[in-house]
Amino acid sequence: VLSYIVTSKYGVSHSELREILASNDEYWKFFIQSSKHTLETVKVPSSVVIRLLSDLSNFTNQQSLFDGLLVYFNHRIVKESAYEWLKSKNYGYSHEDLFKYYGSKWRKNDLHSIYEVSHQALQYDTHAAIDLYTNLDYAITKIQNSASDILRSDLNEVRANAGMDVFIDFDIEAKS
C-alpha cells in the first residue's frame, strides 16, 4: 500500500487501492494465506484498506479530486522517507503496476486515470510513455476531458527525460 501511495502523482482512492491490490499476484497470495475467511472472488474487502489507511492517517491526507477522494502523503519529507524505506527493503516502486492499472482505465474516460497514467508511464518506461503520448486516442481523450494543458506538460516531460531526440507535438487550440 505504501508503494502505491508513494508512486502515485495525485494520490489513490480507496476503491483504486482495493482493485490494484487484488490485481497484484504477490499481494493476493499473501492475503489469501493470512486471511481467516474464505473469499469467493478476487476482491480485497474495503475494511482492510480502511484499516491500513487508518494506521497511516498521521502521515496522509485526503483530497477531493477527479470526482473522488484521493489519499496522499501529507508532506514531501514523509513521502521521501517512505520511498527510501521501500528502497532499503528492495520493494518495487509499483510504477509498472500503476501504469498497467491506469492504462486499462483511461479509455473509459476515468478522469483520475487520464491524469495519472502519463506520470506512471514516464516513471515506468520511457518507451511506454512515448507510445502513450503518440496514441491519438489518448490525446483526443485528454482534450475532450479539458486536459490539454496537462498533455502539453506531459510531452515536455517526455522530451526532458527521454535521453534521446524525441519529437512529439500537437497543435492544441481551443475552438469555440
Side-chain angles (χ1 to χ4, degrees):
V1 173
L2 272 180
S3 63
Y4 295 124
I5 297 172
V6 165
T7 56
S8 67
K9 185 170 185 175
Y10 300 101
V12 290
S13 71
H14 291 208
S15 61
E16 289 172 341
L17 276 175
R18 291 176 61 208
E19 291 173 13
I20 293 165
L21 289 172
S23 68
N24 181 311
D25 293 335
E26 187 179 333
Y27 176 82
W28 188 251
K29 188 180 201 180
F30 169 78
F31 184 75
I32 291 297
Q33 289 172 351
S34 61
S35 179
K36 294 181 173 110
H37 305 285
T38 304
L39 299 171
E40 297 177 14
T41 60
V42 180
K43 191 173 183 182
V44 176
S46 57
S47 59
V48 171
V49 171
I50 290 169
R51 184 164 181 187
L52 287 168
L53 294 176
S54 175
D55 290 345
L56 292 171
S57 65
N58 289 334
F59 310 104
T60 59
N61 282 337
Q62 297 183 15
Q63 63 181 340
S64 182
L65 193 62
F66 307 119
D67 299 328
L69 199 59
L70 303 181
V71 177
Y72 65 97
F73 282 110
N74 58 14
H75 196 281
R76 179 184 53 84
I77 293 172
V78 174
K79 184 172 183 169
E80 289 172 359
S81 296
Y83 195 84
E84 289 302 315
W85 181 81
L86 289 166
K87 189 176 170 182
S88 74
K89 301 291 184 189
N90 292 321
Y91 290 124
Y93 301 126
S94 306
H95 289 294
E96 179 180 8
D97 291 345
L98 292 181
F99 171 67
K100 288 176 182 176
Y101 175 76
Y102 291 119
S104 70
K105 294 185 74 168
W106 70 260
R107 292 179 192 274
K108 299 172 187 165
N109 284 333
D110 178 81
L111 199 54
H112 184 213
S113 296
I114 292 168
Y115 279 80
E116 190 75 45
V117 71
S118 56
H119 172 72
Q120 298 307 325
L122 188 59
Q123 299 302 315
Y124 165 56
D125 178 61
T126 302
H127 296 291
I130 291 169
D131 288 346
L132 177 68
Y133 299 139
T134 56
N135 181 321
L136 190 56
D137 290 336
Y138 178 70
I140 290 169
T141 301
K142 275 214 163 183
I143 292 166
Q144 288 174 337
N145 285 281
S146 302
S148 58
D149 56 329
I150 301 298
L151 179 60
R152 188 175 306 283
S153 168
D154 291 346
L155 295 174
N156 289 332
E157 193 174 354
V158 169
R159 285 189 191 115
N161 291 305
M164 60 182 134
D165 289 332
V166 177
F167 180 76
I168 310 169
D169 202 6
F170 293 97
D171 184 17
I172 302 167
E173 183 179 317
K175 307 269 185 194
S176 52

